[in-house]
Amino acid sequence: MSKSKIQILKGDPKNSIMQISFPIMVTMLMTTLYNLIDGMWIAGLGESAIAGVGLIVPLFALINGISNGLGNGITSSINRFREEYGEEKANIVGSQSVIIVIVVSILLTISLLLFLGPYLSIYTHDEQTKIEAITYAVPLFVGLFSFVIAQIFASIFRAEGDTKRSMYAMSIGFILNAVLDPVFIYVLNMGSAGAAISTVVTCILSTIIMFYWIFIKKDTIIKINVRKLLQSKWDWFITKDIFKTGIPASLVLFTLSFSTMLYNLLIADIAGDLGLSIYSSAYRIYILGLMPITSICSGLVAIYGTHYGAKNSKFFKSAHTYGTIYAFIFGSIVCALFFIFSDQLAYLFMIVSENPQLTAGISHNIRITSFCIPFLGLGLPSSYLYQGAGKGFVSFLWTIVYEVVCTVPAICFFVFFLDWGLIGIWTGFVVGRGATSILNFIAARVSIRKIVKKWNCE
């Protein structure tokens, strides 16, 4: 059965993209819906809680960024090594990834806990907001190992085309999370800490399920054997290959998190805690809108890596073509729905907290930033092309162009030159990221032609 899933990866991308991406899409839908529900329950704790938790969102995105980046590096390496060197090398990639993720989890936990106090002092002087942020962050950071390990396990399943099982494991956790959230927050009166603890507990459950399949049932194609790995000579070539894609891919999402921190700083200066609450709440809706595109791109990493390793020029090019088409179509549909139903989406945050200013601000944000999503349908499949081909640094450079070269100047133009305030920030997102997405797509097509030409000359 697993072997047949590998054949899906090797098949025509026109069909394989959605077969691989749909289970990832369901998983991400569960994730984003949980984040939305989480935000709704936190809204009932008051503006300080919303603002405090909102300040932790970029750091949480950083954790997910590093784990997703490493996961994409592992997926790409497994598929390329399988096609170039055989199954045994792919097994070593999987085994090394487990050791790497344990070390990364420990370093991340220590760093974030040490950095938390100074980080919060930059953004707010309100003591209650700081308390809410710390209350939420500490249990989240202590349990971050569960997020990172779960993402790496999911990447191993993704590398062999078996995205359904990781979907089942992650979805069980997210559904349980949505149920436990109000229990921990309100019934047990744990407030912001309850939301974090609920997240950690349910993510550990998802990790245990995947651990059982990989290490106890052992019915995956990739055979993880940590003991054998530690008793043999470490293959630094494989480690280098994982990090060659994984580190730049992590830096991509680190850059996005860092830019979000800068936006938080600007928003706090313009509109205080209300502005931060609007942004952090609307950002959950925005991430929900990106979900179909990012799930397609996650599936594309395995497909790109497989055809790149096999030097299949026809399917490598076709994967980018159809990946972009599917992503743009989904992005356009989401844009239309968000624009039409922006008020209704904003009112979700009124279920447990009545704040008309917050609701109106969220609605305006959704209506404007929704136009960014179709453009990202053009750009993101191109960025993930480089990750799948093991050229993660190029993907990272494009993120710099997105956030630093184009989006930041665009925001500054609308905020400082036109004096549009918060609306200027939302508009700058669309203009900066939209323009870069078009350039990214064009550059990717040029890169594909160069890669194919090189293969034809070999």
Side-chain angles (χ1 to χ4, degrees):
M1 182 176 176
S2 294
K3 289 290 185 183
S4 67
K5 294 183 183 299
I6 292 290
Q7 294 306 314
I8 293 175
L9 287 174
K10 295 181 179 182
D12 190 338
K14 182 179 180 180
N15 303 315
S16 64
I17 289 174
M18 291 312 299
Q19 287 179 276
I20 297 297
S21 298
F22 184 74
I24 301 174
M25 196 177 297
V26 174
T27 304
M28 289 189 173
L29 176 62
M30 292 289 183
T31 308
T32 48
L33 284 176
Y34 160 70
N35 287 332
L36 185 58
I37 293 169
D38 192 47
M40 289 161 50
W41 289 117
I42 289 172
L45 297 174
E47 198 169 287
S48 293
I50 302 172
V53 172
L55 289 174
I56 305 302
V57 168
L59 297 181
F60 190 45
L62 172 63
I63 297 168
N64 281 323
I66 292 173
S67 57
N68 280 325
L70 281 175
N72 286 340
I74 291 163
T75 299
S76 175
S77 294
I78 287 175
N79 283 285
R80 285 184 289 106
F81 272 74
R82 180 193 293 119
E83 295 301 313
E84 293 181 45
Y85 306 109
E87 290 292 342
E88 184 56 34
K89 283 290 186 181
N91 292 340
I92 297 174
V93 175
S95 299
Q96 283 197 9
S97 68
V98 175
I99 304 296
I100 290 169
V101 75
I102 292 172
V103 175
V104 169
S105 298
I106 294 170
L107 294 176
L108 261 180
T109 299
I110 295 171
S111 301
L112 287 170
L113 289 174
L114 291 175
F115 179 63
L116 182 58
Y119 165 78
L120 293 175
S121 297
I122 295 173
Y123 290 99
T124 182
H125 298 293
D126 185 90
E127 289 303 318
Q128 187 58 39
T129 299
K130 286 184 180 180
I131 291 171
E132 293 287 355
I134 292 170
T135 301
Y136 180 76
V138 171
L140 198 68
F141 295 163
V142 170
L144 69 81
F145 71 91
S146 61
F147 311 120
V148 184
I149 293 174
Q151 290 288 354
I152 300 309
F153 286 172
S155 73
I156 292 172
F157 284 110
R158 190 161 61 241
E160 53 189 54
D162 190 0
T163 51
K164 285 186 178 180
R165 283 203 288 183
S166 58
M167 174 190 73
Y168 296 145
M170 301 293 277
S171 297
I172 289 170
F174 294 135
I175 292 169
L176 182 60
N177 204 344
V179 174
L180 291 181
D181 246 2
V183 175
F184 279 97
I185 294 172
Y186 296 106
V187 177
L188 298 180
N189 199 30
M190 298 176 72
S192 301
I197 293 171
S198 173
T199 300
V200 171
V201 168
T202 51
C203 196
I204 289 174
L205 174 62
S206 298
T207 303
I208 290 172
I209 294 171
M210 288 187 282
F211 180 91
Y212 169 77
W213 286 327
I214 295 172
F215 291 96
I216 299 176
K217 196 175 181 183
K218 296 181 179 180
D219 62 348
T220 54
I221 297 176
I222 305 299
K223 304 301 180 184
I224 308 296
N225 193 330
V226 175
R227 181 180 298 178
K228 179 182 176 182
L229 178 69
L230 295 175
Q231 291 174 347
S232 59
K233 186 178 179 181
W234 189 269
D235 193 331
W236 289 103
F237 176 71
I238 288 178
T239 304
K240 181 181 177 182
D241 191 84
I242 292 172
F243 283 130
K244 186 175 70 174
T245 300
I247 290 179
S250 298
L251 288 174
V252 166
L253 294 157
F254 173 81
T255 304
L256 293 173
S257 298
F258 181 74
S259 62
T260 301
M261 295 177 197
L262 293 178
Y263 304 147
N264 275 337
L265 200 60
L266 184 59
I267 291 166
D269 183 58
I270 293 174
D273 282 353
L274 177 62
L276 288 172
S277 299
I278 290 170
Y279 179 55
S280 64
S281 299
Y283 188 72
R284 297 173 189 271
I285 304 289
Y286 177 75
I287 293 299
L288 176 64
L290 284 182
M291 178 270 302
I293 296 172
T294 51
S295 59
I296 288 171
C297 292
S298 294
L300 280 171
V301 172
I303 295 170
Y304 285 144
T306 298
H307 297 310
Y308 186 87
K311 296 184 179 179
N312 187 328
S313 57
K314 177 183 176 182
F315 282 171
F316 184 67
K317 182 178 180 180
S318 178
H320 181 256
T321 299
Y322 284 104
T324 303
I325 290 172
Y326 294 145
F328 181 77
I329 290 172
F330 275 107
S332 299
I333 293 171
V334 168
C335 175
L337 292 173
F338 276 17
F339 186 84
I340 295 170
F341 298 107
S342 62
D343 287 340
Q344 287 78 6
L345 290 168
Y347 275 119
L348 289 173
F349 295 89
M350 293 282 283
I351 294 175
V352 292
S353 174
E354 293 189 8
N355 189 333
Q357 279 186 296
L358 177 64
T359 307
I362 293 171
S363 179
H364 283 132
N365 178 291
I366 294 170
R367 195 168 294 153
I368 295 172
T369 57
S370 63
F371 285 98
C372 188
I373 297 174
F375 287 107
L376 291 174
L378 288 176
L380 289 182
S382 300
S383 292
Y384 281 75
L385 169 81
Y386 302 114
Q387 293 183 24
K391 303 177 185 297
F393 186 70
V394 179
S395 179
F396 170 61
L397 289 179
W398 272 105
T399 304
I400 298 295
V401 175
Y402 269 97
E403 298 302 316
V404 178
V405 178
C406 290
T407 303
V408 170
I411 288 174
C412 290
F413 173 78
F414 287 106
V415 171
F416 298 112
F417 186 76
L418 297 182
D419 196 25
W420 284 13
L422 284 178
I423 301 299
I425 296 177
W426 317 150
T427 306
F429 285 154
V430 178
V431 173
R433 291 175 180 173
T436 312
S437 293
I438 295 171
L439 294 174
N440 196 358
F441 172 78
I442 295 171
R445 300 305 287 186
V446 174
S447 296
I448 290 171
R449 282 199 294 270
K450 290 180 179 179
I451 291 169
V452 172
K453 184 178 179 181
K454 179 182 175 182
W455 287 342
N456 292 336
C457 293
E458 292 177 353

